[in-house]
Amino acid sequence: MYSIEQINYIKAPAATIYKALTTAEGLGQVWTRKLEVKPELGFVNVFDFDEGYLTKMEVTDLQADTLVSWKCVASDQEWVGTGISFELTEEEKATKVRLNHHDWRELTDYYRWCSYNWAMFLFRLKKYTESLN
């Protein structure tokens, strides 16, 4: 199995970033505006990227201000069964956000393209949450 791992350092409190990753307001600013999300274990978040199918992520772990984890239950076939986690660690001057998109079955061009897009996701998360301070 393979993983995409990315890190970004964001000059915002972990609580602000956690809220952005668990609410429609926050995810609507950094991922897609067409969504239905709840910060509730077992809830299946739904994201629509206008690609002809919905991406559905079951919320598998929530630890206030430190961890958000999802399992993909519907999407592009390469995503189904993969997991995504966001670990938040407050450091001296920033919050470290460690993204891990794990359990990829193989290294494909789509995997590589998603790696790039996760980096862009973290960049948008940084811009959005830093603008709230």
Side-chain angles (χ1 to χ4, degrees), residues 119-130:
M120 297 308 298
F121 173 95
L122 288 178
F123 176 74
R124 289 188 305 272
L125 180 67
K126 177 181 177 70
K127 286 186 68 167
Y128 171 65
T129 55
E130 287 181 353

Side-chain angles (χ1 to χ4, degrees), residues 4-133:
I4 294 171
E5 297 183 29
Q6 303 279 346
I7 286 181
N8 205 349
Y9 294 87
I10 300 176
K11 294 177 184 170
T16 300
I17 298 164
Y18 181 85
K19 184 176 179 183
L21 292 169
T22 57
T23 64
E25 178 184 348
L27 288 167
Q29 293 294 318
V30 300
W31 216 15
T32 180
R33 295 190 192 280
K34 295 180 179 180
L35 57 107
E36 181 182 345
V37 301
K38 284 187 185 177
E40 181 180 298
L41 285 177
F43 186 79
V44 177
N45 293 333
V46 178
F47 303 95
D48 185 347
F49 298 98
D50 292 324
E51 294 177 331
Y53 56 85
L54 299 175
T55 295
K56 297 180 180 183
M57 301 284 187
E58 178 184 354
V59 179
T60 57
D61 200 353
L62 293 172
Q63 296 176 28
D65 306 339
T66 60
L67 179 67
V68 175
S69 294
W70 303 328
K71 180 176 182 176
C72 183
V73 296
S75 188
D76 180 277
Q77 283 305 304
E78 289 191 46
W79 272 37
V80 174
T82 64
I84 299 164
S85 65
F86 303 90
E87 295 176 32
L88 311 178
T89 307
E90 283 195 0
E91 298 190 347
E92 191 173 316
K93 296 182 180 183
T95 299
K96 177 172 64 177
V97 180
R98 181 188 309 255
L99 178 147
N100 186 332
H101 188 168
H102 52 89
D103 295 332
W104 285 78
R105 292 174 290 284
E106 57 186 312
L107 295 175
T108 63
D109 285 345
Y110 186 67
Y111 166 95
R112 293 173 182 92
W113 182 74
C114 288
S115 180
Y116 165 81
N117 281 289
W118 279 125
M120 297 308 298
F121 173 95
L122 288 178
F123 176 74
R124 289 188 305 272
L125 180 67
K126 177 181 177 70
K127 286 186 68 167
Y128 171 65
T129 55
E130 287 181 353
S131 76
L132 299 174
N133 290 336

